[in-house]
Amino acid sequence: MTKPNLALQIQTLPDGPGVYQYYDKEGKILYVGKAKNLKKRVSSYFNKIHDTAKTNVLVKKIVTIKHIVVPTETDALLLENNLIKTLMPRYNVLLKDDKSYPWICIKKEPFSRIFPTRRMVKDGSEYFGPYTNFKTVHTILDLIKELYPLRTCNYDLSESNIDSGKFKVCLEYHIGNCKGPCEGFETLEHYQKQVDAIREILKGNFKESMRDFKRLMISLAEEMKYEEAQKIKEKIEVLENYQSRSTIVNPKITNIDVFSIVSDESAAFINFLQISHGSIIRSHTMEIKKKLEETDEELLELAIIELRERFQLLSKEVIVPFEVDLGSAIKITVPQLGDKKQILDLSIRNAKFYRIEQLKQLQIVDPDRHTNRIMAQMKSDLRLPVEPRHIECFDNSNIQGTNPVAACVVFKDGKPSKKDYRHFNVKTVVGPDDFASMEEIVYRRYRRLLEENEPLPNLIIIDGGKGQLSSALKSIDALGLRGKIAIIGIAKRLEELFYPGDSIPLYLDKKSETLKVIQQLRNEAHRFGITFHRDKRSKAALNSSIESIPGIGEKTMQTLIQHFKSVKRLKLATEKEISDVIGVSKAKKITDFYHKNS
């Protein structure tokens, strides 16, 4: 299949946040950008002449657009930074400084230091972030400093160094910012309890610390230190809005490949995310056409082997949605919670978006192929002898036995054919008997089609369970159509499909396109029938309220009732008001009638 043109690629982009990548005709990366709304941002490149020559040249070179969807704008910013540094696109000149985003480090050492950094060193230290700017980092560190006095020196505070009196307290101790662990004035146990509390703040679990902080604010206010209390209040507000972690970059997930699969009846879509040093550096989605009834496990195993070879991946661990067999050299992780589950969910989301885009493009470029696929799938799922190109669905509508009506909706090639819809007034049934009503309307529908030599449907769907289906079958048998038309019933509650002579219902996959078409048919029949039923009830109520006036026909009275809304208002109307609606002569007859009867 040839690549869809740019307009088609743009038309099927999602509306959410993400990162887009432009490629030229040779497949070389041109530009990486982030967007709050991918479709709007990418469209803006192609619907105007740009101010700079560089941008216009870029647009002319674009042949292919790729994208990665992410949960938030912040994630898009971080992912854009990672991809630009990894891919180094020609037109991304603004980020050539190659700056990294800042982290907060809890150093692995006695009396741990806590400080900001742009470099992650693999020495067992903990890193939290990344943050999109240093202002947030400094605000959080200031908050921590207000709550917990920690050391800022880089001394080696081993037990032997402290016992030997190697260090002396500095100015930070004398002004109250440090409790002097260097001279043994603070125990390691007490200090590490503070570090544990700070770790919870950085993870986002800062309820206890927040209470302590608010107590500090109240005490400052009681001491009438209002300016200091206000500063604490502002920092609390920043802390409350602080997001602890990003799903895009996490130092705990390093050098891991993530694979996920989303499949339908004819194809599978496998997404791959490459994580290096805690950052996503590559996303790729591939489509595999199903030849036989391959399982998702088989397809994912094949895809992982292919992708690892294609991209020369050497990671020793892969994250997948279910167990697969890749040999003993690779660790398989199927996460249920936490950061790894979040990154797997992101991969699944990208696979789903890719599938939706492919289906949209297929519907636009080749609608017949899309229809043929659905028809073939329905034939297989419903065990039919032919594809259900012509489907008719029946539904009864009555409320407490009044105005019983029925509806027949028609779908051709999986789409509503509204010109073929039909309403039925139930004629031979007295009272609320849905079974007898179904038997009558099915008989009338197909007797007429036979008499007029019209084509019969490939499939009849009865909105109801076994009882309704049995009633419809009586009419099918009476007309000699048993075996010529497939017929099934759909029960409302559990979406059970019943077949003639089979007491065990068929259950379709809730996500299958076959079930969606059947549900659409059933809902359309219900809507069409209810609308007709309401109209009939309204007309009956209107007719019962119309009085017989000499010289005034039913149509004129209905016009008046529709205008004045009720007979009561019509009686109170002046002759002038009535004549404005139906003319002077008829208005006089009506006012004379009501005047005489009053």
Side-chain angles (χ1 to χ4, degrees):
M1 179 179 168
T2 58
K3 290 182 181 179
N5 58 35
L6 279 174
L8 184 58
Q9 292 181 56
I10 295 165
Q11 194 175 346
T12 54
L13 284 170
D15 289 312
V19 173
Y20 55 90
Q21 302 162 55
Y22 294 151
Y23 291 82
D24 65 13
K25 63 183 179 181
E26 295 173 356
K28 290 182 180 177
I29 183 77
L30 294 170
Y31 183 81
V32 173
K34 66 181 182 302
K36 180 179 178 180
N37 183 311
L38 280 167
K39 183 180 280 187
K40 284 185 180 178
R41 183 72 186 95
V42 173
S43 298
S44 69
Y45 279 87
F46 299 91
N47 57 19
K48 62 181 179 181
I49 302 297
H50 296 275
D51 296 333
T52 62
K54 179 191 120 176
T55 307
N56 289 318
V57 171
L58 164 65
V59 172
K60 287 179 182 177
K61 288 184 177 181
I62 298 168
V63 172
T64 306
I65 302 168
K66 293 184 180 180
H67 67 275
I68 306 171
V69 291
V70 293
T72 66
E73 293 174 64
T74 302
D75 293 333
L77 178 68
L78 299 171
L79 180 54
E80 178 197 35
N81 179 61
N82 296 331
L83 291 175
I84 289 171
K85 287 189 293 185
T86 305
L87 303 174
M88 291 184 289
R90 178 178 175 183
Y91 287 88
N92 283 97
V93 294
L94 296 177
L95 289 176
K96 279 192 175 177
D97 58 353
D98 199 32
K99 285 182 180 176
S100 302
Y101 286 94
W103 304 77
I104 292 177
C105 174
I106 299 180
K107 194 71 174 172
K108 186 181 181 182
E109 61 187 355
F111 301 96
S112 302
R113 287 171 292 153
I114 299 175
F115 55 87
T117 181
R118 289 190 188 272
R119 291 177 63 246
M120 282 194 290
V121 181
K122 293 185 180 180
D123 58 358
S125 299
E126 295 175 83
Y127 293 86
F128 296 86
Y131 302 91
T132 51
N133 58 64
F134 254 109
K135 183 180 178 183
T136 307
V137 172
H138 288 311
T139 302
I140 293 166
L141 291 174
D142 286 346
L143 285 168
I144 292 169
K145 191 176 178 182
E146 291 280 358
L147 278 171
Y148 305 106
L150 300 173
R151 71 168 179 133
T152 55
C153 62
N154 59 2
Y155 297 150
D156 177 9
L157 297 187
S158 64
E159 190 176 349
S160 58
N161 284 345
I162 293 170
D163 291 342
S164 66
K166 187 174 181 180
F167 309 113
K168 297 294 179 184
V169 292
C170 61
L171 180 62
E172 290 291 301
Y173 170 78
H174 293 293
I175 63 177
N177 289 341
C178 177
K179 291 190 175 179
C182 57
E183 284 199 53
F185 298 153
E186 182 177 25
T187 65
L188 178 60
E189 183 184 6
H190 180 268
Y191 189 97
Q192 290 305 128
K193 278 185 179 178
Q194 295 183 119
V195 172
D196 291 341
I198 292 165
R199 185 180 291 109
E200 291 305 305
I201 289 176
L202 295 173
K203 286 180 179 179
N205 305 323
F206 45 80
K207 195 176 287 184
E208 289 296 322
S209 297
M210 187 68 78
R211 284 201 199 103
D212 293 340
F213 211 43
K214 286 179 178 176
R215 279 197 287 268
L216 175 60
M217 180 182 68
I218 291 166
S219 68
L220 287 169
E222 288 172 348
E223 295 168 15
M224 293 187 285
K225 298 178 181 178
Y226 298 120
E227 288 185 10
E228 293 177 47
Q230 176 60 27
K231 288 177 182 176
I232 300 295
K233 183 182 177 183
E234 290 171 0
K235 291 175 180 178
I236 288 174
E237 289 171 355
V238 172
L239 188 58
E240 285 174 337
N241 294 324
Y242 154 63
Q243 289 184 339
S244 60
R245 292 172 295 183
S246 164
T247 57
I248 297 303
V249 186
N250 193 314
K252 294 178 184 176
I253 305 176
T254 59
N255 304 321
I256 292 177
D257 301 329
V258 184
F259 298 92
S260 65
I261 183 169
V262 172
S263 66
D264 55 29
E265 296 84 357
S266 61
F269 302 86
I270 292 89
N271 176 261
F272 152 59
L273 299 177
Q274 185 179 1
I275 316 294
S276 177
H277 304 294
S279 303
I280 292 179
I281 62 169
R282 180 183 284 130
S283 174
H284 180 76
T285 305
M286 66 185 297
E287 179 180 357
I288 300 177
K289 297 290 184 185
K290 292 184 179 179
K291 300 295 183 185
L292 300 170
E293 294 184 6
E294 298 93 345
T295 65
D296 282 359
E297 287 81 358
E298 291 171 333
L299 293 171
L300 188 58
E301 285 173 12
L302 287 169
I304 291 173
I305 294 166
E306 163 67 22
L307 290 167
R308 283 178 67 87
E309 185 178 341
R310 184 187 303 179
F311 294 111
Q312 298 181 345
L313 306 175
L314 302 174
S315 56
K316 300 298 182 185
E317 180 180 0
V318 299
I319 296 174
V320 286
F322 43 74
E323 290 290 342
V324 291
D325 183 10
L326 300 174
S328 58
I330 300 173
K331 179 184 176 184
I332 306 298
T333 300
V334 183
Q336 303 300 319
L337 295 167
D339 298 324
K340 289 183 178 180
K341 181 64 167 66
Q342 284 185 329
I343 209 76
L344 176 62
D345 289 344
L346 182 63
S347 176
I348 293 170
R349 192 175 173 200
N350 274 279
K352 285 180 178 176
F353 269 106
Y354 186 85
R355 176 180 176 269
I356 290 167
E357 286 152 23
Q358 294 303 304
L359 291 176
K360 282 181 181 176
Q361 291 178 7
L362 187 61
Q363 283 178 273
I364 294 167
V365 174
D366 190 357
D368 290 340
R369 183 179 169 188
H370 176 71
T371 300
N372 293 342
R373 185 178 60 80
I374 292 175
M375 289 296 103
Q377 191 60 45
M378 289 189 75
K379 177 187 173 185
S380 171
D381 288 345
L382 299 175
R383 306 178 302 202
L384 301 175
V386 294
E387 291 182 353
R389 294 282 174 171
H390 179 174
I391 308 173
E392 297 191 352
C393 181
F394 292 86
D395 178 47
N396 287 327
S397 294
N398 72 74
I399 297 176
Q400 298 177 341
T402 65
N403 308 113
V405 297
C408 170
V409 300
V410 180
F411 273 36
K412 292 183 176 176
D413 290 330
K415 293 178 183 143
S417 178
K418 295 197 174 184
K419 66 182 177 63
D420 296 312
Y421 285 15
R422 294 293 181 268
H423 284 133
F424 295 88
N425 289 306
V426 179
K427 296 176 180 178
T428 63
V429 181
V430 178
D433 188 342
D434 281 350
F435 296 153
S437 298
M438 185 63 73
E439 185 178 347
E440 178 193 323
I441 61 167
V442 170
Y443 184 83
R444 285 168 53 193
R445 169 66 174 166
Y446 296 112
R447 184 187 64 184
R448 181 161 186 168
L449 289 185
L450 289 169
E451 287 173 353
E452 296 178 358
N453 203 26
E454 291 289 330
L456 296 170
N458 307 117
L459 173 65
I460 299 170
I461 297 175
I462 304 299
D463 184 10
K466 293 187 212 173
Q468 299 271 33
L469 180 61
S470 298
S471 300
L473 275 168
K474 289 178 185 177
S475 297
I476 294 295
D477 286 337
L479 293 166
L481 295 176
R482 175 73 79 106
K484 295 180 181 177
I485 307 175
I487 181 168
I488 60 174
I490 177 169
K492 288 182 174 69
R493 232 183 100 216
L494 298 172
E495 309 295 30
E496 302 167 317
L497 299 179
F498 289 95
Y499 286 76
D502 191 346
S503 61
I504 300 172
L506 171 71
Y507 294 93
L508 293 175
D509 186 330
K510 300 294 182 191
K511 296 178 182 177
S512 76
E513 287 179 294
T514 298
L515 183 60
K516 285 176 182 172
V517 172
I518 292 173
Q519 287 171 330
Q520 188 185 356
L521 267 156
R522 193 264 311 279
N523 295 340
E524 184 70 354
H526 187 65
R527 178 200 65 77
F528 190 56
I530 285 290
T531 303
F532 180 52
H533 186 258
R534 285 174 182 158
D535 290 345
K536 191 176 177 186
R537 275 190 300 146
S538 299
K539 188 174 181 181
L542 182 64
N543 289 340
S544 67
S545 71
I546 292 175
E547 299 181 60
S548 180
I549 301 173
I552 302 297
E554 183 183 322
K555 192 170 182 181
T556 302
M557 281 302 293
Q558 284 183 358
T559 303
L560 287 167
I561 298 300
Q562 285 171 359
H563 180 81
F564 291 104
K565 307 303 181 189
S566 70
V567 172
K568 185 178 178 181
R569 287 186 182 179
L570 176 61
K571 288 179 180 179
L572 297 173
T574 65
E575 188 174 333
K576 173 71 169 65
E577 288 172 335
I578 298 172
S579 67
D580 288 342
V581 180
I582 59 169
V584 176
S585 62
K586 288 182 180 179
K588 189 170 189 324
K589 289 178 184 178
I590 290 169
T591 51
D592 287 348
F593 175 82
Y594 286 131
H595 181 69
K596 181 181 175 182
N597 283 286
S598 64

